[in-house]
């Protein structure tokens, strides 16, 4: 119990530093805020929208073209009615202008920056400079290709999205317990390997020592 308390206190003392590091490693911007639920309303809305889209297309099997056209029709009617109501001053809020609906250049710049980052890293991994990273990439892609046989593309993307929105938050909430469990498992595994080496591997007679004795 004393060892457990010491380890937990040590993890607690550095938990805020590790949490900040993980947050900043994820960019520290709006995407990281959504993943860590800094704005619970925005993160919950995005999760609800993605859940609704997955439910419509995977469970209800709603046609995508029909859904897209109906969304556009609803948007047209909303803007049309809003513009008439706004011009008649029945409500105080005016409809959005064309500048409000434009996608900003910074958004496209951020998107293209991430695409270029992915291409550069993919090329760097494929060059074989780090064989372990290359092996991990090949194994991960192979596992994803196998998993893709059992799930549709939308379901797989939804699982990845839910994981991105829940795993960092759960790690932040239970960081001390998870870190302690991981370190304890590592120590137990190391102890098990040492026992196996001392009791099994080291007792196997070496071939070259036998040959020397016979000579």
């Amino acid at each position: 119990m004393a060892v457990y308390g010491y380890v937990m206190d040590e993890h607690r003392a550095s938990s805020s530093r590790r949490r900040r590091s993980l947050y900043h490693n994820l960019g520290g911007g709006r995407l990281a805020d959504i993943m860590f639920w800094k704005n619970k309303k925005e993160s919950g809305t995005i999760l609800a929208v993605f859940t609704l889209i997955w439910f419509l297309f995977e469970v209800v099997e709603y046609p995508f073209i029909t859904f897209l056209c109906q969304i556009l029709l609803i948007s047209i009617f909303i803007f049309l009615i809003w513009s008439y109501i706004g011009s008649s001053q029945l409500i105080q809020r005016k409809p959005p202008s064309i500048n409000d609906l434009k996608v900003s250049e910074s958004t496209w710049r951020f998107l293209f920056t991430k695409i270029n980052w992915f291409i550069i890293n993919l090329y760097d991994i494929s060059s074989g400079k780090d064989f372990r990273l290359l092996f991990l990439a090949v194994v991960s892609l192979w596992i994803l290709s196998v998993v893709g046989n059992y799930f549709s593309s939308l379901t797989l993307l939804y699982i990845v999205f839910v994981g991105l929105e829940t795993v960092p938050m759960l790690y932040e909430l239970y960081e001390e317990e998870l870190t302690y469990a991981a370190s304890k498992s590592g120590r137990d595994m190391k102890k098990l390997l040492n026992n196996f080496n001392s009791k099994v591997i080291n007792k196997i007679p070496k071939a070259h020592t036998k040959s020397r004795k016979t000579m």
Side-chain angles (χ1 to χ4, degrees):
M1 291 298 292
V3 176
Y4 175 80
Y6 172 76
V7 174
M8 290 297 292
D9 290 338
E10 184 181 357
H11 289 320
R12 254 185 224 105
S14 59
S15 62
S16 59
R17 184 177 66 254
R18 290 195 303 269
R19 192 176 298 123
R20 285 196 300 269
S21 176
L22 179 61
Y23 177 80
H24 289 296
N25 286 336
L26 293 174
R30 190 171 183 181
L31 180 61
D33 290 340
I34 293 172
M35 293 174 65
F36 279 88
W37 289 72
K38 300 296 182 182
N39 188 342
K40 293 182 175 58
K41 184 177 180 181
E42 184 177 9
S43 300
T45 302
I46 293 174
L47 180 61
V49 169
F50 271 83
T51 303
L52 178 62
I53 292 174
W54 173 81
F55 180 79
L56 287 175
F57 292 140
E58 289 296 323
V59 180
V60 184
E61 297 183 354
Y62 204 74
F64 176 73
I65 299 298
T66 304
F67 175 78
L68 181 62
C69 292
Q70 289 180 353
I71 290 294
L72 293 175
L73 285 171
I74 293 172
S75 302
I76 290 173
F77 282 118
I78 288 175
F79 284 121
L80 180 64
I81 296 172
W82 197 353
S83 62
Y84 274 106
I85 294 177
S87 60
S88 63
Q89 296 182 351
L90 292 177
I91 58 175
Q92 299 295 328
R93 188 178 180 86
K94 292 183 178 181
S97 63
I98 188 65
N99 293 325
D100 297 329
L101 299 176
K102 283 183 180 179
V103 180
S104 63
E105 293 182 3
S106 60
T107 303
W108 292 112
R109 196 180 301 114
F110 172 79
L111 180 62
F112 286 123
T113 301
K114 292 301 180 182
I115 293 175
N116 289 331
W117 174 85
F118 177 77
I119 294 173
I120 292 171
N121 280 273
L122 181 63
Y123 178 79
D124 189 52
I125 293 172
S126 303
S127 63
K129 296 177 182 178
D130 190 345
F131 182 76
R132 190 173 73 170
L133 188 60
L134 176 64
F135 177 76
L136 288 175
V138 171
V139 171
S140 300
L141 290 174
W142 179 77
I143 291 174
L144 283 176
S145 66
V146 173
V147 172
N149 291 327
Y150 301 97
F151 298 97
S152 65
S153 300
L154 184 60
T155 301
L156 191 60
L157 288 175
Y158 178 71
I159 293 173
V160 171
F161 174 77
V162 172
L164 290 175
E165 266 220 335
T166 54
V167 171
M169 181 187 64
L170 293 176
Y171 178 78
E172 185 181 30
L173 291 175
Y174 303 102
E175 183 178 4
E176 289 85 4
E177 291 81 359
L178 291 174
T179 307
Y180 173 76
S183 61
K184 186 176 183 300
S185 300
R187 291 194 302 269
D188 293 341
M189 184 62 67
K190 187 176 180 180
K191 186 185 296 184
L192 183 63
L193 290 175
N194 290 333
N195 291 333
F196 180 76
N197 287 331
S198 61
K199 293 181 180 179
V200 179
I201 301 298
N202 294 334
K203 291 183 179 180
I204 298 176
K206 303 291 190 299
H208 64 278
T209 56
K210 274 188 174 183
S211 60
R212 285 182 181 178
K213 287 182 179 179
T214 54
M215 289 177 65

